Amino acid sequence: SKEWRKRGRLLGWQRKGVTGLFEPKTLAKDGRMWSEELESWLTIELVDDDPYLRLYDKANKRRLTIDEVAEQAQRQVRRVKRLVRRNQAEREAERQQLEAERQQAELRAQQAEAELAELRRQLKGNGQ
């Protein structure tokens, strides 16, 4: 039943081993209920004015729903893809820079060879 939604608090029962009868579970002072089976605190929280059952672990960290886990995973995938694209762009820019530097070095080497050839030609011409 959705009685907990109407009343805005948790209702729970626990089966007693000796008698097999169900007895109401007691709530903590803050209105939460501990579930041994789920190893979680159960609490009612309002989301957009609607009460929702939320679970918290022993460290008081909220346990995520399947949808929240999926959304978190999708955000992580998008973040990794952005990082990969940025990394690829940086590598491409570095590659282009290295290529430009290689071409400049090749041009300087050609100029140096031409100057050397000219000096040799001049030396040959003066030695004759």
Side-chain angles (χ1 to χ4, degrees), residues 62-73:
R62 188 165 72 81
R63 296 190 188 271
L64 301 178
T65 65
I66 291 172
D67 290 342
E68 290 169 329
V69 169
E71 182 181 320
Q72 196 174 60

Side-chain angles (χ1 to χ4, degrees), residues 3 5 7-8 19-20 35-36 41-42 55 58 70 79 83 85 87 89 91-92 102-103 107 110 113 117 124 127:
E3 186 176 345
R5 283 183 184 260
R7 295 176 64 178
T19 63
S35 169
E36 290 295 331
W41 285 104
L42 287 76
L55 280 68
K58 286 182 181 180
R79 188 177 138 273
L83 288 173
R85 281 193 303 271
N87 225 352
R91 282 199 317 271
E92 178 60 21
R102 185 196 64 75
Q103 288 176 358
L107 181 59
Q110 289 172 356
E113 285 176 10
K124 251 186 192 180

Side-chain angles (χ1 to χ4, degrees), residues 79-91:
R79 188 177 138 273
V80 168
K81 284 182 177 179
R82 278 193 309 271
L83 288 173
V84 167
R85 281 193 303 271
R86 186 181 323 147
N87 225 352
Q88 287 172 337
E90 288 172 359
R91 282 199 317 271

Side-chain angles (χ1 to χ4, degrees), residues 2-127:
K2 294 188 179 183
E3 186 176 345
W4 64 270
R5 283 183 184 260
K6 293 178 199 166
R7 295 176 64 178
R9 66 182 180 91
L10 291 170
L11 302 172
W13 292 265
Q14 184 172 359
R15 185 180 210 142
K16 294 296 177 180
V18 177
T19 63
L21 299 175
F22 287 93
E23 294 183 11
K25 286 188 78 154
T26 56
L27 300 179
K29 289 180 183 177
D30 59 5
R32 300 184 308 168
M33 180 185 304
W34 179 254
S35 169
E36 290 295 331
E37 294 80 9
L38 299 174
E39 296 182 3
S40 298
W41 285 104
L42 287 76
T43 186
I44 304 293
E45 292 181 0
L46 291 178
V47 177
D48 298 326
D49 292 328
D50 288 327
Y52 281 87
L53 180 65
R54 299 287 195 202
L55 280 68
Y56 288 83
D57 64 15
K58 286 182 181 180
N60 213 27
K61 183 177 178 186
R62 188 165 72 81
R63 296 190 188 271
L64 301 178
T65 65
I66 291 172
D67 290 342
E68 290 169 329
V69 169
E71 182 181 320
Q72 196 174 60
Q74 288 172 349
R75 276 196 311 267
Q76 182 70 7
V77 165
R78 285 192 299 270
R79 188 177 138 273
V80 168
K81 284 182 177 179
R82 278 193 309 271
L83 288 173
V84 167
R85 281 193 303 271
R86 186 181 323 147
N87 225 352
Q88 287 172 337
E90 288 172 359
R91 282 199 317 271
E92 178 60 21
E94 288 171 2
R95 188 197 65 73
Q96 289 176 359
Q97 177 67 30
L98 288 172
E99 177 61 20
E101 290 173 8
R102 185 196 64 75
Q103 288 176 358
Q104 288 174 355
E106 189 175 293
L107 181 59
R108 284 192 301 271
Q110 289 172 356
Q111 289 171 343
E113 285 176 10
E115 289 174 8
L116 183 59
E118 177 62 25
L119 284 173
R120 285 183 180 149
R121 190 185 60 71
Q122 287 176 3
L123 285 174
K124 251 186 192 180
N126 286 341

